Amino acid sequence: MKLDIQARNVELTRALQGYIKRRLYFAFGSRDSKIKNVKIMLSDVNGPKGGCDKRCRILLRVAGLKDIIIEEFQSDSRSAVDRAASRARQTLGRRLMKWKNKHRQKIIMEDDLLAI
């Protein structure tokens, strides 16, 4: 899994980069062989105004599936990363399950045709 972390108007410290890497490997660890790359974009939407303005956008590219894009807003960067990673993991799990079921049905139908 190739990881690309970018930040705009947010200080991307080594500690924050390490946190993001650990969080993503925890979220996608069992499925990281299926993931081509992950792009993370952190940004501060309102600048110094405050509020729930830290955005984390995750783009997952998975072989055989459409891209998964998750966007989450929270009051701090780590919370935004946590929430976005959790939602991305759930979405990836659902899409992989649909893909698996679709191909399983296709194989069963082909086996039925061969039996005729």
Side-chain angles (χ1 to χ4, degrees), residues 2-114:
K2 182 182 171 202
L3 186 58
D4 179 21
I5 303 171
Q6 300 176 5
R8 188 173 44 193
N9 300 328
V10 173
E11 185 179 355
L12 189 58
T13 62
R14 284 188 124 147
L16 183 56
Q17 285 180 338
Y19 180 80
I20 292 169
K21 288 177 183 178
R22 284 189 309 275
R23 184 64 181 97
L24 292 177
Y25 284 114
F26 175 74
F28 305 122
S30 63
R31 297 180 173 121
D32 81 351
S33 63
K34 296 176 178 18
I35 299 172
K36 288 185 197 175
N37 62 16
V38 180
K39 184 175 182 179
I40 305 277
M41 174 58 121
L42 292 175
S43 59
D44 186 346
V45 180
N46 292 351
K49 293 180 185 177
C52 285
D53 65 339
K54 302 297 189 276
R55 177 176 59 191
C56 177
R57 185 174 188 198
I58 296 179
L59 169 66
L60 284 175
R61 293 189 186 246
V62 182
L65 298 177
K66 291 182 181 179
D67 290 350
I68 296 172
I69 301 172
I70 301 293
E71 193 170 74
E72 187 64 44
F73 292 88
Q74 295 291 325
S75 57
D76 66 280
S77 297
R78 288 181 184 226
S79 297
V81 169
D82 286 344
R83 181 79 174 119
S86 178
R87 289 181 52 209
R89 185 189 77 230
Q90 291 172 348
T91 302
L92 177 62
R94 280 193 309 270
R95 291 215 185 150
L96 287 173
M97 189 61 69
K98 284 181 183 179
W99 182 87
K100 197 182 280 188
N101 288 337
K102 181 180 176 181
H103 287 307
R104 185 177 300 144
Q105 288 175 349
K106 184 178 178 180
I107 291 170
I108 289 170
M109 289 173 57
E110 287 174 358
D111 287 347
D112 288 344
L113 287 175
L114 290 175

